[in-house]
């Protein structure tokens, strides 16, 4: 069956090409709106497609159904092929450049014959884009910046993608009978937020079966680079000696800066395992996640290994349901939360300013609150009424303080107007933090890894404001965010901040993102006592009442 993501890409591509060709705007919007409907349906779409019931879905007309069914059956699209009859397929590359819409791409194609990213970059460097009507030098510079970003981002994958690839490689390696032991190492073992290389250490009893299993691109001493179809390189450190395995694992885990600053001799490492390696230089054991250059300059109180594990989290905080833009119902989300060990929850659907996400107005919040009460009466599982309230441009939240009294848990987040100056954005966020009803600052810097940079803000001042106003800081576990950045966790901990580790889940499957947030928290040395999700339900109720009276 066709992959849902493939179908979404197909529909957006068709919409872009239709607009590029100047087709009827209603037809263009039909494809874009249809893609948005499918995105919101989530897993439900798979069932509709499998049972050929797309006609029951509002917003997917007969024309769209025909295109989707055609692709699902053939694995290719007749509609897309038709649109690409007289233009090269490489034109689709241009639609991925932020700031270039179909109309501008049409001008580039008609005026300069640009039909690929390479040609676009060349035209920018030849100063041809700046001379085009409607573009100018500023637009040309922005396009060049976007092209450079795209090149940089192409060298990395997100943490969850690296994790998935690593599992596939591990299964393949373990299928070789000669292999006795395998471990991830390098960036993935240290849990970097984006990964440029997948590296493993392998112990085997015979080298020949191992080497013959792969196509070797290069071999340097005992490290081989293998051929794969993955975006990033995959290398394997090989050995027949168990003691050498432990030393290779330690050295390749790195980071080099950490090992060097701590005083390890790369040639003569004493001991049989990592615990003994640290003892040999009279140093406490450091968990792999924390072995970064930054560790060396930390204050002693921040150097303690994180004790955080999934089973220490009691509260599922900040998740979305079908009430706003979630793909699963409240009942489904809580059922999964209970299954994986959570003991209470706080649903935080989007607020009324988030019209794009079907945000909740005051009336719908009160309606949801009644549902939560009924759910508790029937299931004896507490779900607090929360909201992810948009921080408006002036720093106010999008409900009055008088109404916020009805909400148990308020997450304040920026979802719009990302281009403010550093000073304006900082003031905006601090004003929201100072609101007495704000409990948590959501995804503090707004970054989307390998996609969008953080907005400009003084993160130190923002962390300081959270500490002063007793507002927790989110470590958003979505692999595209992992925000707060782990480098700032140490500063926030030193200021005495509390944290909340949240999947920001929009489906039951997303709840497992929590593990990535825990890994990032461990990287920052966070202790369970610093995490509000680790509070018991009674302790969490006290947290909610620390500044304002709430009838919980």
């Amino acid at each position: 069956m066709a992959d849902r993501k493939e179908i979404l890409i197909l529909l957006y591509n068709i919409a872009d090409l239709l607009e590029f060709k100047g087709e009827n705007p209603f037809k263009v919007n039909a494809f874009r709106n249809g893609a948005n409907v499918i995105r919101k349906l989530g897993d439900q779409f798979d069932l509709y497609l499998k049972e050929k019931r797309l006609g029951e879905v509002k917003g997917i007309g007969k024309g769209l159904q025909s295109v989707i069914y055609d692709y699902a059956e053939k694995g290719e699209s007749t509609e897309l092929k038709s649109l690409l009859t007289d233009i090269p397929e490489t034109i689709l590359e241009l639609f991925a450049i932020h700031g270039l819409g179909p109309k501008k791409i049409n001008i580039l194609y008609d005026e300069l014959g640009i039909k690929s990213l390479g040609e676009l970059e060349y035209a920018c460097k030849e100063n041809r884009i700046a001379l085009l009507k409607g573009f100018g030098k500023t637009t040309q510079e922005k396009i060049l910046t976007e092209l450079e970003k795209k090149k940089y981002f192409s060298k990395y994958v997100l943490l969850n993608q690296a994790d998935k690839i690593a599992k596939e490689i591990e299964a393949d390696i373990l299928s070789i009978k000669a292999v006795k032991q395998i471990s991830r190492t390098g960036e993935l073992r240290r849990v970097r937020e984006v990964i440029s290389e997948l590296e493993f250490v392998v112990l085997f009893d015979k080298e020949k079966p191992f080497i013959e299993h792969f196509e070797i691109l290069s071999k340097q001493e005992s490290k081989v680079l293998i051929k794969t179809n993955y975006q990033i390189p995959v290398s394997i450190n090989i050995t027949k000696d168990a003691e050498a395995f432990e030393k290779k694992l330690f050295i390749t885990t790195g980071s080099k800066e950490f090992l060097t600053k701590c005083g390890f001799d790369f040639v003569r490492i004493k001991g049989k395992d990592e615990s003994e390696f640290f003892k040999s230089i009279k140093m406490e054991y450091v968990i792999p996640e924390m072995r970064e250059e930054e560790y060396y300059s930390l204050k002693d109180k921040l150097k303690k290994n994180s004790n955080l594990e999934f089973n220490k989290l009691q509260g599922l905080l900040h998740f979305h349901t079908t009430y706003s833009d979630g793909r699963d119902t409240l009942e489904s989300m809580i059922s999964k939360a209970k299954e994986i060990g959570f003991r209470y929850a706080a649903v935080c659907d989007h607020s009324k300013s988030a019209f794009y996400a079907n945000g909740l107005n005051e009336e719908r919040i009160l309606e949801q609150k009644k549902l939560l009460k009924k759910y508790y009466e029937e299931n004896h599982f507490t779900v607090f009424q929360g909201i992810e309230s948009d921080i408006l441009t002036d720093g106010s939240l999008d409900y009055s303080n008088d109404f916020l009294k009805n909400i148990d848990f308020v997450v304040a987040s920026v979802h719009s107007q990302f281009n403010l100056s550093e000073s304006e954005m900082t003031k905006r966020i601090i004003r929201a933090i100072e609101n007495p009803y704000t409990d948590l600052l959501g995804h503090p810097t707004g970054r989307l890894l390998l996609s969008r940079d953080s907005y400009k803000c003084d993160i130190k001042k923002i962390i300081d404001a959270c500490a002063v106003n007793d507002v927790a800081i989110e470590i958003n576990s979505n692999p595209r965010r992992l925000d707060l950045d782990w480098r700032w966790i140490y500063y926030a901990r030193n200021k005495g901040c509390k944290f909340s580790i949240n999947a920001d889940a929009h489906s039951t499957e997303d709840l497992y993102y929590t593990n990535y947030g825990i890994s990032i928290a461990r990287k920052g040395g966070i202790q369970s006592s610093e995490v509000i999700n680790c509070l018991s339900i009674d302790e969490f109720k006290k947290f909610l009442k620390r500044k304002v009276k709430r009838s919980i």
Side-chain angles (χ1 to χ4, degrees), residues 11 48 62 81 87 162 210 229 295 308 379 392 463 491:
L11 296 185
Y48 281 114
K62 289 183 179 179
K81 283 177 77 174
I87 54 174
F210 181 86
N229 293 321
Y295 179 90
L308 201 60
N379 299 277
L392 304 181
I463 290 171
Y491 180 80

Side-chain angles (χ1 to χ4, degrees), residues 96-110:
I97 300 300
H98 181 68
L100 279 186
K103 291 177 182 176
K104 282 192 172 181
I105 292 170
N106 180 269
I107 294 170
L108 292 171
Y109 182 70
D110 285 346

